[in-house]
Amino acid sequence: MKGVILAGGSGTRLKPMTRFLNKHLLPVGPYPMIHYAISKLAEAGITDILLVTGKHFGGLFMDYIGSGREWNVRISFKVQEEPGGIAQALALAEGFVNPCEKFVVLLGDNLFEDSLMEEFARFREQPEQARVFLKEVEDPRRYGVPVMNGSRIVRIQEKPEFPKSSYCVTGIYMYDAGVFDIIRTVQPSARGEMEITDVNNMYAARDMLSYSILSGWWIDAGTHLSFREAAQRIAGEVTP
């Protein structure tokens, strides 16, 4: 399997820290945030990784990451010319991922404890489809919330007022190469972006969206509060 890390976006929720620096380059503990996403893929045995980021900070990412030798991986780079949603950024991985391959996608601002090695191995052997990773949270209304039926997800509700479960969909996804055909059918949402939830719901409508549940801590480090918690988790100052 190959890996794709999405590290674009404008980092609006972390301003003013992101006024002059991409949020994925902000330090979380001893390393920039992006370091952990690469480390998680390398730890799970994925050695061929594509990083997608915006055009304003591409040089800084390349300066820090280089070829990926520090992690014993190969890093390629692609530029998302302007923020257009996660699905739009993911579409840039077509060509990096071959037609018969499966791959994993990490949002670069998601930090988590679990190892994904066994999950990757399991997905590699299962029939072609998609898999997302869930985490139980205190306030699922802030996230995409899965409506589940056994081992499958029926649909994902985006920030529902009355969630159907206490779980949220994290920024860890696994797909077959058919996802690029699905993305081509996605229309921009009301906020003008191509939403990854729409992509996942198309898999769900075909009964092809399965899930795994993270057991360790997980943080979407995109706000000031969660960014601080991420640093504390990395430092071991907060217990699960």
Side-chain angles (χ1 to χ4, degrees):
M1 287 177 62
K2 292 179 178 176
V4 176
I5 301 173
L6 304 182
S10 55
T12 303
R13 295 177 298 166
L14 278 173
K15 287 184 176 178
M17 292 194 298
T18 53
R19 188 173 296 170
F20 303 108
L21 190 64
N22 181 289
K23 67 179 174 181
H24 304 90
L25 293 169
L26 294 172
V28 179
Y31 300 109
M33 192 185 300
I34 193 63
H35 186 103
Y36 301 100
I38 300 172
S39 295
K40 280 295 181 182
L41 293 182
E43 171 190 86
I46 292 181
T47 59
D48 205 356
I49 300 171
L50 174 69
L51 189 140
V52 180
T53 189
K55 61 184 178 182
H56 299 297
F57 301 105
L60 293 178
F61 278 99
M62 294 182 72
D63 285 344
Y64 180 73
I65 297 169
S67 66
R69 183 174 60 182
E70 178 178 348
W71 297 267
N72 293 315
V73 301
R74 297 180 300 274
I75 300 282
S76 304
F77 297 88
K78 282 203 173 181
V79 172
Q80 185 181 20
E81 290 289 339
E82 55 189 13
I86 294 172
Q88 184 200 66
L90 178 55
L92 296 174
E94 188 172 17
F96 171 76
V97 176
N98 295 320
C100 295
E101 287 183 323
K102 295 179 179 179
F103 66 107
V104 60
V105 181
L106 298 185
L107 302 189
D109 59 359
N110 276 225
L111 285 80
F112 53 95
E113 182 179 12
D114 293 49
S115 169
L116 300 178
M117 181 181 297
E118 292 184 5
E119 293 289 350
F120 292 169
R122 188 178 300 118
F123 185 71
R124 187 185 297 114
E125 301 302 324
Q126 73 181 50
E128 294 181 351
Q129 54 182 328
R131 179 174 287 262
V132 296
F133 287 76
L134 311 179
K135 181 64 182 175
E136 193 166 16
V137 292
E138 292 184 1
D139 187 6
R141 294 173 300 175
R142 298 171 49 205
Y143 306 97
V145 176
V147 178
M148 295 176 281
N149 181 15
S151 63
R152 300 287 177 179
I153 293 177
V154 177
R155 66 184 182 279
I156 298 171
Q157 299 175 312
E158 192 62 33
K159 299 180 180 178
E161 184 177 357
F162 302 104
K164 297 289 187 181
S165 76
S166 59
Y167 290 90
C168 77
V169 178
T170 71
I172 309 168
Y173 316 98
M174 294 190 291
Y175 297 108
D176 58 26
V179 70
F180 301 115
D181 291 329
I182 289 178
I183 291 174
R184 277 187 277 274
T185 70
V186 172
Q187 298 299 314
S189 65
R191 62 177 185 166
E193 296 191 355
M194 296 172 65
E195 308 290 351
I196 197 65
T197 295
D198 292 339
V199 173
N200 290 332
N201 276 334
M202 289 185 187
Y203 275 103
R206 302 174 186 180
D207 195 29
M208 295 174 64
L209 184 62
S210 56
Y211 66 88
S212 297
I213 297 176
L214 297 176
S215 59
W217 60 262
W218 163 83
I219 297 173
D220 171 5
T223 68
H224 288 280
L225 184 62
S226 61
F227 182 83
R228 182 177 65 182
E229 182 184 353
Q232 293 172 329
R233 292 282 188 184
I234 294 296
E237 297 175 5
V238 178
T239 56

